[in-house]
Amino acid sequence: MTTKTPSNAMVLNPETLPTHARGGGAKTTPLVSPSIGTRSFITGYTSFEGGAEIPFHSHNCEESVVLMEGNAILDIDGQHYELKAHDVTYIPPNVSHRFRNMSRTEPMKILWIYANVEATRTLTDSGATNFVSAEHGKH
């Protein structure tokens, strides 16, 4: 359920919003997007099953990720950084990175924030680029 206030602010209930499978045991729930009025950033959750990881990729804008639950590894700049719940990352534009669930059995969940409603994801291995919103059927 999404509730709009008189000033056009929004209250979102993520459990009622559509979720999209990303493959490899990851699924994404878009949260703040242009469809509710934002013009400068987008947010969402991505949940990872035990052992799930996403491929190396980069974005055309700044990104911040908050680890909401579980334990993760951020692979970036040839290094591996272990993250615990509520750790926060900042990733500059065009920097290849990925997140991995450290647990083989427990889920992990991130909140991502892109500094552009036209954020793209470019897969490092193939160079394929798509709008983040297109992954959610909205572009």
Side-chain angles (χ1 to χ4, degrees):
M1 183 170 103
T2 300
T3 304
K4 189 180 232 181
T5 73
S7 66
N8 290 323
M10 301 289 246
V11 176
L12 306 171
N13 301 104
E15 63 276 1
T16 67
L17 299 174
T19 297
H20 308 276
R22 298 228 348 236
K27 59 184 178 180
T28 294
T29 304
L31 299 171
V32 175
S33 68
S35 67
I36 67 166
T38 187
R39 293 186 300 257
S40 59
F41 69 97
I42 57 176
T43 68
Y45 285 129
T46 298
S47 299
F48 295 69
E49 295 174 0
E53 57 187 49
I54 56 178
F56 277 97
H57 61 280
S58 60
H59 305 284
N60 63 336
C61 62
E62 295 169 305
E63 177 186 24
S64 182
V65 170
V66 180
L67 183 61
M68 301 302 294
E69 61 184 58
N71 294 290
I73 295 175
L74 166 63
D75 296 313
I76 191 168
D77 298 329
Q79 303 291 317
H80 311 286
Y81 299 92
E82 291 187 13
L83 307 174
K84 63 184 182 339
H86 306 286
D87 284 349
V88 179
T89 66
Y90 163 75
I91 303 168
N94 305 309
V95 174
S96 183
H97 62 281
R98 73 173 178 177
F99 290 90
R100 296 185 279 151
N101 187 345
M102 286 177 61
S103 174
R104 290 284 185 220
T105 58
E106 297 299 316
M108 163 194 129
K109 184 178 189 177
I110 63 173
L111 167 69
W112 44 262
I113 304 153
Y114 296 114
N116 187 333
V117 295
E118 297 292 327
T120 61
R121 180 183 329 279
T122 300
L123 298 178
T124 303
D125 283 347
S126 68
T129 300
N130 288 303
F131 286 102
V132 170
S133 60
E135 297 169 354
H136 314 142
K138 295 189 180 194
H139 200 73

